[in-house]
Amino acid sequence: MTLKSDSIRSLSHIATMLELLGEDAFRVNANARAVRSLEAFPDELEPIADDQKQLTAIPGIGAKIAQKIIELHTSGRISEEDELARKVPQTLLEVLEVPGLGPKTVRLMWEQQQVESIDDLRRIIADGSILTLPRMGQKSVDKITAALAFMETSSERLPIGIAQPLAELLIEYLRQSPEIIKAEFAGSLRRGQETVGDIDILVATSNPAAVTKHFLAAPNLEEVLASGDTKSSARFAVPESAGGKRKTTARAIQIDLRIVEQDAWGAALLYFTGSKEHGVHLRTVARKQGFTLNEYGLFKDEPGEGPPQSRGIAPIAHATEAEIYAQLDQPAFPPEIREDMGEFDLTEAPRLIEVADIKAELHAHTRASDGRLSLHQLIEHAISRGFHTLAVTDHSRSSVQANGLSIERLQEQRQHIEDAREQFEGQITILHGCEVDILTDGSLDYDDETLHWLDLVVASPHVALTQDPKTATKRLLNAIEHPCVHILGHPTGRLINRREGLSPAINELVAAAVEHETALEINAHWQRLDLRDTHVRAAATGGARFAIDCDVHHAADFDNLRYGVATGRRGWLEPAQCVNALGHKDLHGWIKSKRV
DNA sequence: GCCGTTTTCGGCCCGACTGTTTTCAGTCG
């Protein structure tokens, strides 16, 4: 555990307990904001933990919270957290996790009915005493009961690689209705987050009732949670086949449908894309300039009661996101950077990396190790993607479970590569590379002579992924600094929702990567997305170069590129910093620079 | 509890839906 992760846990614990005690909402929010800010902070806190000034330089961290972090660092505890924990039963925090139950209701249950746990909640439902609470009727109780049952069947956040295809299928279905003018997904999915808690679909129509009816008849719909004139929510089953074989325990996902008038499409898309923090900041900007911004448009402030659109006030801008941003004198922020993490300091929108920029795949496996494609099939797929270069990088010998190649087999593979080069001449440049294991101590799985003989080397950690941060940093630095290594593959080895992976000191890796011109991988597989967005942001700011690769094992893995690109965009990555976006000459110039 | 090109004090976004209410509180995003 690091000081950062401990601080995040303690501060969010404090925020939740303050909420349950009915403390000032702004104080609760300040702690929650500090948590989000720390989650996005790329570096560890230990190096700055004795410097209040550097701590308060982190947005959302003021003098008080900095003091708590310092206290946690020096004593291992925060006294405020301990004091609060004496007042609030810790099992009460689980009750707050029940969807539909908020702090006010949980507090009432606690004060009036001595509810201190989920079991207590079940008790007052069973004996009917829950109905004596204010504003609590049978319908509410039924909802809580259903939520409790749903919680038991578990639900984790859905990886983007499952959520996005689901959203696209639903949109395809919705568009079958002639009443639909436009349909797009918004929310965290549109911002390219690695996992999503729900899916937001935005629809433009002049016939809301028909569209709602159509939505509620969609395939895989399990339960309607709410349905009004402009908004419906339903729970959908996640098909067993999602993501190839099931790679998530999530059985269901909530999908929210928002219905808007076509005219206000831009305002609605902006609003429902979020993030919440970006929206709050943007509305503050609007207010300062004498405007009101909501999901119906940007309005000039005029005195009066009620929302401007219902008072007959015409919006100044509402048709597109771009015109609203322009009216507020802001750049047209790409969705992926709308996190209120510094984007409002920009004077113009960055030109972020796009899928169309990617012209090379530098991390791909064949049947020789654990891939499912033959060498020829792999090459044909790369050509069909319009790539100018493909690196064949099967596993090295230590990856026994992946049928890693001995040096002899590696040498045999060279002959096949050369045959293929002849056959595909003029269509694509084929590199003979490997994905070499970074062994536990940081040494590589082939000798230097073999590595130098290969055209391209991706060095990746596959074992000992629970090493402490210091050892892991040293291990990865070894690979970055090795003169034959081009790319550090999936640097942390994490698997989303499954395995934490290594926690190296990213700033040290970045400094070494810049010095040795080694690229850091953004592994595009949606189970990896490694480096993650916040690491990419830190490394890109530090001037590192990146490789966005699909780590191809199956033909369909090429389609994961969009998730890797989205992660790069969330890290503010521009094409010039991505080796896969280089032209043929520049890419091979860099690759050969490691072979002199 | 944070923050400042209106402010070092006094702000801190905005609306839909639900269930329980005769006008609104709570939750959610």
Side-chain angles (χ1 to χ4, degrees), chain A residues 38 48 84 153 228 330 340 344 430 478 502 523 549 567 581 595:
Chain A
L38 288 177
I48 58 169
L84 290 169
T153 64
Q330 298 294 322
D340 194 20
F344 285 99
I430 304 161
N478 229 37
L502 303 170
N523 192 294
D549 283 320
T567 301
R595 289 293 176 271

Side-chain angles (χ1 to χ4, degrees), chain A residues 190-337:
Chain A
R190 181 160 180 251
R191 298 199 312 279
Q193 276 199 185
E194 61 192 35
T195 62
V196 303
D198 61 13
I199 294 173
D200 296 298
I201 307 267
L202 188 64
V203 162
T205 181
S206 46
N207 189 346
V211 168
T212 299
K213 194 173 163 220
H214 186 52
F215 171 70
L216 296 179
N220 292 323
L221 186 146
E222 279 188 338
E223 190 189 348
V224 179
L225 302 170
S227 185
D229 292 341
T230 65
K231 180 188 160 183
S232 293
S233 290
R235 195 149 54 223
F236 283 71
V238 174
E240 288 290 333
S241 60
K245 56 188 172 182
R246 175 173 286 284
K247 285 166 182 156
T248 172
T249 61
R251 301 259 182 246
I253 180 84
Q254 180 173 331
I255 301 185
D256 294 340
L257 181 79
R258 321 279 187 153
I259 297 173
V260 301
E261 296 277 341
Q262 187 187 6
D263 289 346
W265 177 258
L269 190 59
L270 182 59
Y271 186 88
F272 292 117
T273 296
S275 67
K276 193 177 171 205
E277 291 74 29
H278 180 89
V280 168
H281 194 142
L282 192 63
R283 285 189 286 279
T284 309
V285 169
R287 276 176 66 103
K288 280 183 184 164
Q289 298 182 15
F291 298 114
T292 298
L293 176 64
N294 59 31
E295 60 261 56
Y296 298 100
L298 182 69
F299 302 85
K300 195 143 188 68
D301 262 346
E302 283 173 33
E305 283 295 305
Q309 69 276 5
S310 59
R311 286 187 276 143
I313 300 173
I316 292 166
H318 64 165
T320 66
E321 291 182 328
E323 76 179 36
I324 295 169
Y325 280 127
Q327 196 62 240
L328 291 170
D329 207 18
Q330 298 294 322
F333 300 114
E336 293 89 344
I337 70 167

Side-chain angles (χ1 to χ4, degrees), chain A residues 108-416:
Chain A
L108 269 178
M109 290 176 171
W110 178 32
E111 285 176 348
Q112 298 194 5
Q113 312 228 279
Q114 293 76 48
V115 167
E116 298 192 352
S117 67
I118 297 271
D119 282 343
D120 292 341
L121 172 59
R122 290 213 168 86
R123 168 179 56 80
I124 62 167
I125 292 174
D127 67 19
S129 56
I130 190 173
L131 288 164
T132 62
L133 289 169
R135 312 189 62 84
M136 184 63 72
Q138 191 55 47
K139 274 194 166 175
S140 300
V141 175
D142 291 346
K143 279 196 156 180
I144 296 169
T145 308
L148 283 170
F150 179 62
M151 280 176 84
E152 278 181 355
T153 64
S154 106
S155 152
E156 60 188 16
R157 288 176 68 85
L158 211 54
I160 187 172
I162 293 177
Q164 190 161 332
L166 274 182
E168 286 165 348
L169 273 178
L170 179 60
I171 285 172
E172 204 175 294
Y173 163 82
L174 289 173
R175 284 182 180 149
Q176 290 169 4
S177 159
E179 304 289 348
I180 300 255
I181 301 166
K182 278 184 187 160
E184 301 286 346
F185 56 79
S188 50
L189 197 55
R190 181 160 180 251
R191 298 199 312 279
Q193 276 199 185
E194 61 192 35
T195 62
V196 303
D198 61 13
I199 294 173
D200 296 298
I201 307 267
L202 188 64
V203 162
T205 181
S206 46
N207 189 346
V211 168
T212 299
K213 194 173 163 220
H214 186 52
F215 171 70
L216 296 179
N220 292 323
L221 186 146
E222 279 188 338
E223 190 189 348
V224 179
L225 302 170
S227 185
D229 292 341
T230 65
K231 180 188 160 183
S232 293
S233 290
R235 195 149 54 223
F236 283 71
V238 174
E240 288 290 333
S241 60
K245 56 188 172 182
R246 175 173 286 284
K247 285 166 182 156
T248 172
T249 61
R251 301 259 182 246
I253 180 84
Q254 180 173 331
I255 301 185
D256 294 340
L257 181 79
R258 321 279 187 153
I259 297 173
V260 301
E261 296 277 341
Q262 187 187 6
D263 289 346
W265 177 258
L269 190 59
L270 182 59
Y271 186 88
F272 292 117
T273 296
S275 67
K276 193 177 171 205
E277 291 74 29
H278 180 89
V280 168
H281 194 142
L282 192 63
R283 285 189 286 279
T284 309
V285 169
R287 276 176 66 103
K288 280 183 184 164
Q289 298 182 15
F291 298 114
T292 298
L293 176 64
N294 59 31
E295 60 261 56
Y296 298 100
L298 182 69
F299 302 85
K300 195 143 188 68
D301 262 346
E302 283 173 33
E305 283 295 305
Q309 69 276 5
S310 59
R311 286 187 276 143
I313 300 173
I316 292 166
H318 64 165
T320 66
E321 291 182 328
E323 76 179 36
I324 295 169
Y325 280 127
Q327 196 62 240
L328 291 170
D329 207 18
Q330 298 294 322
F333 300 114
E336 293 89 344
I337 70 167
R338 298 181 196 169
E339 299 290 345
D340 194 20
M341 285 295 165
E343 68 270 23
F344 285 99
D345 296 333
L346 293 172
T347 50
E348 58 184 273
R351 159 63 166 91
L352 302 179
I353 185 99
E354 295 169 6
V355 169
D357 294 322
I358 304 290
K359 293 295 175 198
E361 173 61 46
L362 302 176
H363 185 169
H365 300 267
T366 70
R367 282 182 199 151
S369 60
D370 62 348
R372 288 288 171 274
L373 297 170
S374 70
L375 178 59
H376 279 211
Q377 288 170 331
L378 178 63
I379 294 166
E380 279 163 3
H381 278 290
I383 291 172
S384 75
R385 301 275 161 167
F387 292 165
H388 62 61
T389 297
L390 167 72
V392 179
T393 59
D394 276 305
H395 285 284
S396 63
R397 56 192 173 185
S398 282
S399 282
V400 178
Q401 78 293 344
N403 193 22
L405 274 59
S406 66
I407 291 180
E408 292 71 30
R409 289 181 62 211
L410 195 62
Q411 285 165 347
E412 284 168 28
Q413 189 179 43
R414 175 61 61 92
Q415 189 55 52
H416 299 310

Side-chain angles (χ1 to χ4, degrees), chain A residues 419-436:
Chain A
D419 292 346
R421 280 176 179 154
E422 262 182 49
Q423 189 183 336
F424 293 97
E425 198 185 346
Q427 299 181 63
I428 191 166
T429 302
I430 304 161
L431 296 173
H432 187 203
C434 76
E435 183 186 14
V436 63

